[in-house]
């Protein structure tokens, strides 16, 4: 239940274009939003969509994934096992500033007389382009053309081409390229989702120098000890006479070009930018040397080849990841055009958040803002890993290996909360739990099962036994140990295995007994751990011996996990014939959402947590999410009844709900709700559904939009690694096309409302199921089958 009256961005601001987001005029009122929407990044570092001239700005931002400051969490009243150390991703030195002066007058958008203004995020070239025609007060017409990219193939490199042409006169032109250190790291308001501000200055200047067109700054972070170096170099091309000067100190550097501009003669500066970081093992001097090498290569390569390299990278990405939809002209083509544009933008932003996230996770906002302090959540495994597993398995593998790199910290965290095994943190950057509110943080033990769920899906779809038998098996053992220790066999529940005092995905209901989602996912975790250990023992003795060595695994443990899983208590109400979200959920008073003013959402900003906890009200899908992830464990009748009960209680306060509600709506045959929720999910950021896109992109929700298309409208399911389809294309679409990578093979799927076409474009042989019929595809073969409408249980017809 999403409570916003409009989804559509004003058409004159973002005209519909299948591959571009185009801003056709400068709108100061949308400045904060566009800073997010026009962000560029590569998963290692990213720039918010701030203007080259450095102002105006709402949140000027350059972020490096995992680069953070630590701080002690201060409690008014503390208790044993509370998280001790917070972490905040820093806004690092800003190297994208290029200021322009003509006749000694600065170019400043809010006061400039603009004849032309267009800014374009091009999702095929991976560039942010701007064209501005500025008429100065003296009547000189100045054409400003810029192109910005953060390289997807060269992890540490960005580049900006900045070209100025005085069209109708001569004029003195000054172009000043800057690096500005000591960036602000302050919270904007009292929203608890915002980043923490610092009382202390986290930056310690270490090393700096300037040489000809090159600048270099390096800093150490006060508490975390992390080190950063930022370097820039410049290449100028013009027929006009010019002179250069430069300066550099600990927190600021600039290279200034003073040009005698001649009429119609372009002045082009290409600015190359390099960032290198270390957790403290490398010295500032060494990082500066790394920047030097990156810049030397960039200068040798040149800007045009760098752009071609970027386009080639994206061409490969879109071949694997694109979802192409065709609208039905008889059913209003505009929504389909919006959906295509927004869907591609969502997938592009996911790529920008993770392409080079090597040795790190994916921050909740990617590298587009500091909200949630750049932390990694379980959102990655449940909402983003499916997309990556099927389109970019190398990145998915890196992210799972990153989780494994945190295993020792997870073991420590389990000891801190008096458990055995390992407990992965609810929110973190460096592996330590950073949530100071245990009720909605640490109590979300389901994160263990979420990570293991993603591991299982990845291993089944890629057949990557190396990862499963090494990093994966070790995590499985330690997470299974925690579940066995956390739960108990309850006499009051006929000897069933119960798990008490936990919080599920729904953060409006905390510290409960037998949360259905948690118990179901824990059961899956335990089953998979027992199955994997037995399989390794019987078939891969060497891998099993290594696992025993690393974990001290006893031979009887897998039997204990199996018993706990087999006897897991799953809440079920015989009278309502639904699965209660937890033991006491149905005993609470139902929150009257219809009588709650729109101005009081999200509830977490306007009501004390205890008020929310006393009610049946849901922040994000909980039981409904379980029905999607573990759909083979629910009957169709149960799915209908559960959805009909929980959907009216769901506020939409979380961006993670709409995509799941869309998928389950499609599965149960409620096409109207499926389309409604799909539009909310796909347009979450581009239409600013939650009113907070100014703070950054919702990366997990974006992953959910891929799932809406593939799991929702295509009806794909992948239980036990078996791929099946039950297409449910909505009336607004004429067709949908996408590709999947399955165990190294490429499957192309094209769906119309009447038929589905399956093509094995690469590989050998692949078996899939279409609405219950098994199909075996040979490479190069296409099989088409008619689509049957979904069956709807009696009494649930719409």
């Amino acid at each position: 239940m999403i409570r916003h009256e409009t989804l559509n961005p004003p058409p004159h601001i973002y005209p519909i274009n299948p591959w571009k987001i185009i801003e056709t005029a400068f709108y100061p009122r949308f400045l904060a939003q566009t800073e997010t929407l026009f962000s560029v990044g590569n998963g290692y570092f990213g720039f918010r969509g701030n203007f080259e001239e450095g102002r105006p700005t709402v949140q000027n931002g350059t972020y490096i994934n995992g680069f953070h400051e630590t701080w002690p969490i201060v409690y008014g009243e503390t208790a044993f096992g509370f998280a001790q150390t917070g972490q905040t991703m820093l806004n690092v030195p800003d190297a994208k500033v290029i200021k322009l002066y003509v006749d000694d007058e600065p170019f400043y958008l809010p006061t400039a007389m603009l004849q032309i203004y267009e800014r374009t995020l091009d999702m095929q070239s991976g560039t942010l382009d701007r064209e501005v025609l500025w008429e100065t007060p003296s009547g000189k017409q100045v054409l400003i053309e810029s192109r910005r990219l953060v390289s997807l193939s060269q992890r540490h490199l960005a580049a900006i081409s900045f070209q100025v042409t005085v069209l109708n006169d001569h004029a003195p032109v000054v172009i000043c390229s800057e690096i500005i250190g000591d960036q602000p790291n302050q919270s904007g308001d009292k929203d608890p989702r915002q980043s923490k501000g610092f009382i202390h200055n986290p930056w310690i200047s270490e090393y700096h120098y300037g040489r000809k067109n090159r600048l270099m700054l390096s800093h150490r972070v006060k508490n975390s000890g992390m080190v950063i170096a930022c370097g820039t170099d410049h290449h100028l091309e013009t027929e006009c006479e010019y002179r250069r000067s430069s300066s550099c100190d600990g927190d600021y550097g600039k290279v200034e070009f003073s040009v005698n501009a001649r009429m119609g003669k372009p002045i082009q500066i290409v600015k190359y930018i390099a960032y290198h970081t270390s957790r403290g093992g490398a010295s500032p001097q060494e990082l500066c040397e790394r920047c030097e090498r990156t810049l030397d290569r960039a200068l040798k390569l040149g800007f045009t080849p760098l752009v071609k390299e970027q386009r080639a990278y994206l061409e490969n990405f879109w071949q694997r990841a694109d979802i192409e939809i065709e609208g039905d002209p008889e059913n209003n083509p505009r929504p389909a055009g919006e959906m295509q544009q927004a869907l591609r933008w969502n997938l592009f932003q996911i790529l920008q958040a993770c392409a080079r996230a090597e040795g790190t996770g994916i921050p909740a906002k990617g590298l587009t803002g500091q909200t949630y302090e750049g932390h990694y959540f379980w959102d990655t495994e449940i909402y983003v890993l499916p997309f990556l597993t099927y389109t970019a398995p190398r990145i998915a593998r890196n992210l799972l290996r990153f989780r494994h790199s945190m295993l020792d910290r997870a073991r420590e965290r389990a000891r801190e909360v008096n458990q055995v095994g390992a407990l992965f943190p609810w929110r973190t950057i460096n592996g330590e739990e950073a949530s100071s509110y245990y009720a909605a943080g640490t109590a979300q033990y389901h994160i263990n099962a979420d990570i293991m769920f993603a591991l299982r899906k990845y291993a089944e779809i890629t057949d990557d036994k190396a990862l499963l038998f090494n990093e994966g098996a070790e995590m499985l053992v330690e997470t299974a140990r925690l579940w066995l220790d956390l739960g108990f066999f309850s006499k009051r529940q006929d000897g069933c295995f119960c798990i008490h005092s936990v919080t599920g995905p729904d953060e409006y209901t905390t510290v409960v007994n037998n949360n259905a989602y948690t118990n179901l996912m824990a059961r899956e975790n335990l089953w998979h751990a027992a199955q994997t250990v037995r399989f390794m023992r019987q078939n891969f003795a060497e891998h099993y011996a290594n696992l025993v060595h690393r974990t001290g695994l006893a031979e009887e443990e897998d039997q204990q996990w199996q018993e706990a899983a087999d006897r897991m208590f799953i809440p079920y109400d015989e009278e309502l014939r639904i699965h209660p979200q937890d033991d006491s959920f149905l005993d609470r008073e139902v929150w009257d959402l219809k009588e709650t003013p729109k101005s009081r959402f999200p509830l977490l900003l306007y009501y004390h947590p205890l008020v929310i906890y006393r009610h049946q009200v849901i922040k994000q899908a909980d039981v409904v999410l379980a029905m999607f992830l573990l759909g083979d464990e629910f009957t169709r009748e149960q799915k209908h009844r559960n959805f009909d009960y929980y959907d009216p209680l769901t506020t939409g306060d979380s961006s993670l709900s709409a995509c799941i509600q869309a998928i389950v709506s499609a599965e149960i045959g409620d096409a109207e709700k499926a389309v409604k929720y799909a539009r909310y999910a796909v347009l979450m950021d581009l239409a600013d559904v939650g009113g907070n896109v100014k703070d950054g992109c919702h990366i997990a929700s974006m992953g959910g939009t891929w799932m809406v298309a593939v799991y929702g409208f295509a009806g794909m399911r992948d239980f036990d690694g078996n791929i099946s389809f039950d297409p449910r294309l909505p009336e607004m679409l004429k067709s949908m096309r996408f590709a999947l990578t399955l165990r190294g093979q490429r499957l192309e799927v094209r769906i119309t409302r009447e038929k589905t076409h399956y093509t094995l474009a690469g590989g050998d042989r692949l078996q899939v199921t279409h609405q219950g019929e098994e199909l075996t595809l040979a490479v190069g073969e296409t099989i088409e089958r008619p689509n049957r409408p979904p069956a709807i249980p009696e009494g649930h017809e719409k």
Side-chain angles (χ1 to χ4, degrees):
M1 183 177 293
I2 308 239
R3 325 193 97 72
H4 296 272
E5 295 180 358
T6 180
L7 282 179
N8 301 323
H12 56 286
I13 298 178
Y14 312 128
I16 292 176
N17 185 296
W19 289 105
K20 297 177 180 179
I21 306 296
I22 304 171
E23 184 182 42
T24 57
F26 173 58
Y27 289 93
R29 61 177 287 212
F30 296 113
L31 182 59
Q33 292 94 322
T34 58
E35 287 176 352
T36 293
L37 301 182
F38 290 95
S39 295
V40 291
N42 66 5
Y44 172 66
F45 75 102
F47 297 146
R48 274 178 70 83
N50 311 116
F51 301 112
E52 276 83 13
E53 52 272 15
R55 61 192 186 104
T57 185
V58 177
Q59 296 180 43
N60 186 51
T62 300
Y63 310 110
I64 294 180
N65 194 350
F67 192 84
H68 66 279
E69 174 64 307
T70 58
W71 42 274
I73 299 174
V74 179
Y75 298 93
E77 298 180 25
T78 190
F80 182 83
F82 276 19
Q84 298 298 311
T85 306
Q87 307 127 46
T88 298
M89 181 178 72
L90 290 170
N91 184 12
V92 303
D94 182 14
K96 60 185 181 293
V97 177
I98 303 175
K99 295 178 178 177
L100 171 65
Y101 304 85
V102 177
D103 285 336
D104 294 327
E105 298 296 329
F107 173 60
Y108 180 55
L109 275 169
T111 57
M113 186 181 300
L114 303 178
Q115 307 266 330
I116 296 173
Y117 177 97
E118 185 170 284
R119 187 164 58 148
T120 302
L121 183 68
D122 189 322
M123 296 176 281
Q124 289 177 298
S125 67
T127 59
L128 176 62
D129 305 328
R130 186 176 64 160
E131 181 180 12
V132 174
L133 182 57
W134 168 37
E135 184 173 317
T136 70
S138 63
K140 293 177 182 176
Q141 293 187 334
V142 183
L143 180 64
I144 306 166
E145 300 166 286
S146 66
R147 169 166 283 187
R148 176 191 304 181
L149 66 83
V150 175
S151 176
L152 293 163
S153 55
Q154 302 194 40
R155 187 173 188 241
H156 299 275
L157 180 66
I160 302 171
S161 170
F162 189 84
Q163 182 167 295
V164 178
T165 309
V166 182
L167 299 179
N168 62 345
D169 207 341
H170 305 309
V173 169
V174 174
I175 302 173
C176 184
S177 173
E178 302 178 346
I179 302 179
I180 305 172
D182 193 16
Q183 288 295 305
N185 284 276
Q186 298 294 327
S187 174
D189 53 40
K190 295 181 179 180
D191 187 332
R193 298 167 292 186
Q194 293 284 343
S195 176
K196 175 184 171 61
F198 292 105
I199 296 174
H200 72 278
N201 181 353
W203 299 107
I204 300 172
S205 177
E206 289 278 352
Y207 194 54
H208 58 87
Y209 58 89
R211 184 173 61 248
K212 294 184 179 179
N213 292 339
R214 186 165 292 189
L215 301 170
M216 200 72 63
L217 298 181
S218 68
H219 292 79
R220 187 180 302 275
V221 183
K222 186 173 182 181
N223 292 336
S224 73
M226 298 190 76
V227 183
I228 183 173
C230 174
T232 64
D233 210 329
H234 305 79
H235 175 75
L236 184 141
E237 249 185 55
T238 185
E239 296 179 19
C240 306
E241 294 180 356
Y242 71 92
R243 67 181 185 277
R244 174 193 54 78
S245 63
S246 64
S247 62
C248 187
D249 63 27
D251 285 317
Y252 177 76
K254 72 172 181 178
V255 176
E256 186 173 288
F257 298 92
S258 298
V259 186
N260 295 321
R262 292 157 51 194
M263 185 173 67
K265 299 298 182 181
I267 307 160
Q268 184 195 31
I269 290 178
V270 177
K271 181 176 187 177
Y272 299 101
I273 302 166
Y275 286 95
H276 282 267
T277 56
S278 167
R279 294 188 178 275
S283 68
Q285 290 86 348
E286 180 184 341
L287 293 184
C288 288
E289 290 172 3
R290 294 181 192 177
C291 284
E292 295 265 13
R293 290 193 288 269
T294 300
L295 294 171
D296 287 344
R297 281 196 305 272
L299 284 165
K300 184 176 180 180
L301 180 67
F303 186 73
T304 299
L306 193 60
V307 172
K308 290 180 180 177
E309 191 177 78
Q310 187 88 333
R311 180 175 283 273
Y313 188 104
L314 280 160
E315 183 178 354
N316 178 268
F317 168 74
W318 289 119
Q319 285 177 353
R320 293 178 284 108
D322 190 24
I323 296 177
E324 182 182 350
I325 59 177
E326 181 183 4
D328 187 339
E330 296 181 1
N331 289 281
N332 192 352
R334 181 172 178 83
E338 286 177 345
M339 292 278 276
Q340 179 70 89
Q341 181 183 34
L343 185 56
R344 282 185 174 138
W345 181 76
N346 289 339
L347 302 183
F348 179 69
Q349 290 295 346
I350 297 174
L351 178 71
Q352 293 198 130
C354 71
R356 305 309 304 270
E358 296 150 8
T360 63
I362 301 177
K365 295 291 185 178
L367 299 171
T368 65
Q370 284 177 289
T371 296
Y372 296 116
E373 303 189 87
H375 288 170
Y376 315 133
F377 292 80
W378 63 282
D379 310 4
T380 296
E381 281 77 17
I382 295 301
Y383 293 87
V384 183
L385 257 294
F387 166 67
L388 296 175
T389 295
Y390 281 103
T391 63
R394 176 191 62 81
I395 300 175
R397 191 180 205 274
N398 286 340
L399 290 166
L400 289 167
R401 293 187 71 246
F402 170 67
R403 280 295 191 184
H404 177 264
S405 75
M406 293 182 163
L407 184 57
D408 284 342
R409 285 280 179 89
R411 289 177 172 125
E412 292 173 13
R413 183 59 182 155
R415 303 296 89 74
E416 291 170 359
V417 295
N418 308 105
Q419 308 293 163
V420 302
L423 176 60
F424 285 97
W426 179 60
R427 60 186 297 174
T428 190
I429 295 177
N430 63 9
E432 294 181 73
E433 177 61 77
S435 173
S436 60
Y437 187 52
Y438 74 88
T442 295
Q444 292 200 45
Y445 290 88
H446 66 83
I447 188 171
N448 267 16
D450 300 330
I451 297 168
M452 295 304 95
F453 184 86
L455 168 71
R456 178 175 183 175
K457 291 291 185 185
Y458 167 83
E460 290 173 343
I461 299 308
T462 64
D463 199 27
D464 186 348
K465 289 186 173 59
L467 181 72
L468 177 62
F469 292 164
N470 290 287
E471 295 93 339
E474 190 175 1
M475 290 192 290
L476 280 166
V477 167
E478 298 293 10
T479 53
R481 284 171 169 169
L482 181 126
W483 291 120
L484 189 66
D485 186 52
L486 185 65
F488 69 106
F489 294 98
S490 171
K491 294 181 181 179
R492 293 176 62 86
Q493 295 292 353
D494 298 323
C496 287
F497 191 78
C498 295
I499 302 175
H500 286 182
S501 298
V502 300
T503 298
D506 172 28
E507 295 161 24
Y508 284 173
T509 312
T510 66
V511 194
V512 298
N513 296 341
N514 293 314
N515 170 256
Y517 176 91
T518 301
N519 286 18
L520 284 160
M521 293 291 283
R523 181 171 70 177
E524 192 77 7
N525 190 165
L526 288 161
W527 272 338
H528 189 212
Q531 177 189 44
T532 300
V533 165
R534 285 195 296 267
F535 184 75
M536 291 173 64
R537 183 189 300 136
Q538 295 165 7
N539 300 283
F540 295 89
E542 185 176 344
H543 283 291
Y544 178 74
N546 288 335
L547 179 64
V548 171
H549 175 73
R550 294 196 307 271
T551 64
L553 179 68
E555 191 162 334
E556 71 276 4
E557 284 190 76
D558 62 285
Q559 298 170 3
Q560 296 169 347
W561 303 336
Q562 184 74 42
E563 182 183 10
D566 290 344
R567 295 168 63 183
M568 185 70 69
F569 178 75
I570 307 299
Y572 186 75
D573 186 88
E574 295 289 350
E575 181 179 347
L576 295 176
R577 288 190 287 168
I578 66 168
H579 291 84
Q581 188 167 296
D582 58 72
D583 281 355
S584 59
F585 187 81
L586 299 181
D587 296 330
R588 298 187 174 106
E589 180 183 1
V590 174
W591 189 294
D592 192 344
L593 290 176
K594 290 183 179 179
E595 293 302 317
T596 304
K598 290 183 175 65
S599 62
R600 305 290 282 180
F601 290 89
L603 301 184
L604 64 92
L605 297 184
Y606 301 99
Y607 297 92
H608 192 282
L610 289 175
V611 175
I612 298 173
Y613 298 162
R614 295 186 190 111
H615 290 82
Q616 290 187 48
V617 63
I618 298 172
K619 181 184 178 187
Q620 65 195 67
D622 200 299
V623 172
V624 174
L625 176 59
M627 292 196 303
F628 161 55
L629 298 178
L630 304 171
D632 55 342
E633 298 181 25
F634 295 84
T635 67
R636 185 172 290 274
E637 173 71 18
Q638 287 172 344
K639 291 176 184 178
H640 276 271
R641 289 191 175 276
N642 284 331
F643 185 83
D644 289 346
Y645 187 86
Y646 289 110
D647 189 58
L649 303 178
T650 306
T651 62
D653 286 355
S654 169
S655 64
L656 300 180
S657 269
C659 56
I660 302 303
Q661 290 165 290
I663 293 167
V664 177
S665 295
E667 182 176 6
I668 65 175
D670 192 335
E672 183 178 345
K673 276 190 177 179
V675 169
K676 182 185 77 169
Y677 284 128
R679 292 194 68 233
Y680 280 124
V682 173
L683 292 167
M684 183 66 65
D685 284 341
L686 201 56
D688 201 7
V689 172
N692 60 352
V693 74
K694 61 183 176 60
D695 298 320
C697 295
H698 296 84
I699 299 299
S701 175
M702 292 171 166
T705 64
W706 182 87
M707 293 198 296
V708 168
V710 175
Y711 288 104
F713 296 151
M716 187 187 80
R717 294 296 182 269
D718 47 15
F719 304 128
D720 297 321
N722 299 312
I723 308 301
S724 64
F725 295 89
D726 187 7
R728 309 171 185 93
L729 207 63
E731 289 186 359
M732 64 176 283
L733 297 183
K734 190 175 181 180
S735 68
M736 180 172 71
R737 183 196 303 267
F738 59 90
L740 303 172
T741 301
L742 300 162
R743 292 177 280 280
Q745 304 187 90
R746 177 183 170 85
L747 175 68
E748 295 179 351
V749 182
R750 182 176 182 271
I751 303 171
T752 67
R753 286 204 296 275
E754 296 78 25
K755 296 180 180 180
T756 299
H757 307 254
Y758 302 97
T759 302
L760 187 60
D764 183 19
R765 297 182 72 80
L766 183 66
Q767 189 173 80
V768 299
T769 301
H770 174 85
Q771 295 187 322
E773 179 189 358
E774 289 189 359
L775 309 175
T776 300
L777 292 157
V779 65
E781 182 181 10
T782 297
I783 297 177
E784 65 176 49
R785 287 293 185 269
N787 301 327
R788 299 189 309 272
I792 302 174
E794 186 177 349
H796 291 274
E797 299 87 351
K798 299 294 179 183

